[in-house]
Amino acid sequence: RLRVLSGIQPTADSFHLGNYLGALRQWVRLQDTHDTFYMVVDLHAITVEQDPKVLRQRTRVSAAQLLALGVDPDRSALFVQSHVPEHAQLSWVLECLTGFGEASRMTQFKDKAAKQGADRASVGLFTYPILQAADILLYQAHAVPVGEDQRQHLELSRNLAQRFNHRFGKTFVVPEPHIVKDTAKIYDLQDPTSKMSKSASSPNGLIELLEDPKRSAKKIRSAVTDTGREIVFDPEGKAGVSNLLSIYSALTGKSIEELENSYRDKGYGDLKKDLAEILVEFVTPFQERVKSYLDDISELDKVLARGAEQAREVATRTLAVVYDRVGFLPIG
Ligand code: AQP
């Protein structure tokens, strides 16, 4: 079976609807067809300032959310990035193959650094996409399920794999992004031309999966739409309505066309009210499952330890080949 790898940062108290629809939903599905490696990327999380206690808590809450969404530790290696030291080790080798100019072109760094003030941004934030390349290449992953915002980083991973292979002989699988078109980018409910994001969205534009479902319902009901009345999918002209239709379709499995037909004689209010209910029905049992995973921390930690063991089996093998190819002396 082909291999899949992806990661998510433990940098918020909850995953948001964009994370779920853009990426995590695919993580769960790909377990049926691929060998899957999924991790909570705590090394990435410290590229911005983190409180150690909060980071530890969020790492567990992230793992619990992944389990509650359907990542199955009997079918996937579910682990914490820092438990597998090979990520940082391979990252160094890849950093030495990356041009400074090449790394400087990453738009996510530019955006995030601009927000923090360029002098304050850490070197880790700058090299973040190279660590991400190491994450992927270590597992010889063929596919990486992510949202559209990660496309440029994936392209860097591909370039680094090809460069290494060219210079040192075929070592890495060149990974492909697995981006599902319909939900590649979920938009902010208050500003439907920007992506829903934990750091950029206003609280009312962001649906957190672990917030009070009543609060989520209210946010959906007060989502920004236009002054028209027709419920049609038109991302250019009707960004707000189209975003709600994408979310509705993804959560119910109904096609956009089906939704347009069934709301033909109805108003925005009806669409929002129904979507709010659908969302509440989805998050309520999810939250209960998260809680039950967090009620047994020692079991949760065991699952993660087992995942790290599975991951290391693959990671140590790749790193040994890489170290040999670049010319490091083996331990005598
Ligand atoms: N709005 C989105 N639509 C679709 N997919 C999205 N992703 C994030 N936002 C959207 C995808 O979620 C996965 C996890 O990404 P991450 O751990 O890097 O989380 P993040 O990028 O920190 O989440 P944010 O909200 O996007 O944070 P900021 O704005 O701080 O960078 C990824 O696969 C991502 O594509």
Side-chain angles (χ1 to χ4, degrees):
R1 299 215 302 182
L2 296 183
R3 212 171 262 164
V4 156
L5 172 124
S6 201
I8 183 148
Q9 299 193 74
T11 39
D13 293 329
S14 167
F15 295 157
H16 61 72
L17 196 59
N19 297 143
Y20 173 60
L21 295 180
L24 305 176
R25 211 160 59 109
Q26 276 60 252
W27 291 24
V28 175
R29 289 184 175 167
L30 286 164
Q31 296 179 119
D32 296 338
T33 49
H34 288 68
D35 260 349
T36 41
F37 289 77
Y38 295 133
M39 59 181 174
V40 180
V41 293
D42 54 350
L43 298 180
H44 285 277
I46 64 165
T47 56
V48 294
E49 213 173 298
Q50 288 291 320
D51 174 330
K53 253 208 322 252
V54 174
L55 176 59
R56 211 164 282 132
Q57 167 69 4
R58 285 176 171 176
T59 300
R60 286 203 178 100
V61 174
S62 297
Q65 288 178 90
L66 292 175
L67 292 166
L69 288 173
V71 171
D72 173 359
D74 289 330
R75 294 194 291 157
S76 293
L78 173 64
F79 62 102
V80 174
Q81 187 184 27
S82 64
H83 291 176
V84 182
E86 288 76 12
H87 290 258
Q89 291 175 290
L90 178 60
S91 183
W92 175 253
V93 175
L94 297 178
E95 276 176 44
C96 296
L97 283 183
T98 311
F100 188 80
E102 185 179 26
S104 308
R105 284 194 288 276
M106 296 294 120
T107 54
Q108 193 178 78
F109 173 76
K110 285 195 235 174
D111 292 348
K112 290 194 175 178
K115 253 182 252 153
Q116 292 181 20
D119 287 345
R120 290 234 204 112
S122 70
V123 175
L125 189 65
F126 183 67
T127 57
Y128 180 116
I130 308 170
L131 176 60
Q132 191 175 332
D135 298 338
I136 298 163
L137 302 188
L138 257 187
Y139 297 94
Q140 308 288 4
H142 297 85
V144 187
V146 285
E148 180 61 40
D149 57 338
Q150 292 297 324
R151 193 183 283 280
Q152 193 190 29
H153 289 173
L154 248 297
E155 198 48 43
L156 178 71
S157 299
R158 290 170 55 80
N159 289 341
L160 289 173
Q162 282 161 342
R163 192 170 306 155
F164 190 99
N165 288 349
H166 184 71
R167 209 169 287 176
F168 301 105
K170 173 127 187 41
T171 307
F172 294 122
V173 169
V174 180
E176 296 281 346
H178 178 89
I179 299 175
V180 174
K181 195 172 132 269
D182 296 340
T183 49
K185 196 163 174 182
I186 299 299
Y187 294 88
D188 184 317
L189 297 178
Q190 290 297 316
D191 172 12
T193 54
S194 315
K195 79 161 188 171
M196 185 180 283
S197 148
K198 65 170 181 276
S199 56
S201 296
S202 71
N204 286 337
L206 177 76
I207 301 280
E208 290 185 302
L209 302 185
L210 290 178
E211 71 189 359
D212 181 351
K214 284 198 209 89
R215 202 171 133 83
S216 299
K218 207 164 150 204
K219 290 180 191 178
I220 295 276
R221 287 196 303 266
S222 54
V224 165
T225 40
D226 53 87
T227 50
R229 34 189 33 239
E230 251 196 313
I231 298 178
V232 286
F233 189 76
D234 169 14
E236 306 269 297
K238 286 175 163 287
V241 175
S242 302
N243 189 38
L244 294 178
L245 285 171
S246 299
I247 296 171
Y248 197 137
S249 165
L251 287 177
T252 58
K254 291 185 181 158
S255 71
I256 298 276
E257 210 182 4
E258 225 176 300
L259 295 176
E260 284 174 337
N261 283 336
S262 59
Y263 283 95
R264 197 176 297 281
D265 301 317
K266 296 182 182 162
Y268 292 165
D270 301 306
L271 175 74
K272 291 179 186 177
K273 190 171 142 286
D274 293 349
L275 178 56
E277 274 170 29
I278 288 160
L279 186 72
V280 170
E281 273 166 38
F282 169 69
V283 291
T284 306
F286 162 76
Q287 293 185 0
E288 280 162 21
R289 291 195 296 274
V290 172
K291 194 176 165 304
S292 74
Y293 285 116
L294 290 171
D295 280 344
D296 192 350
I297 295 277
S298 74
E299 179 55 32
L300 181 68
D301 288 353
K302 263 191 229 150
V303 166
L304 295 173
R306 191 152 50 92
E309 221 174 279
Q310 292 166 332
R312 283 205 80 185
E313 253 176 56
V314 180
T316 49
R317 253 185 282 145
T318 307
L319 190 76
V321 175
V322 169
Y323 269 27
D324 179 59
R325 297 255 157 105
V326 299
F328 293 158
L329 189 67
I331 301 175

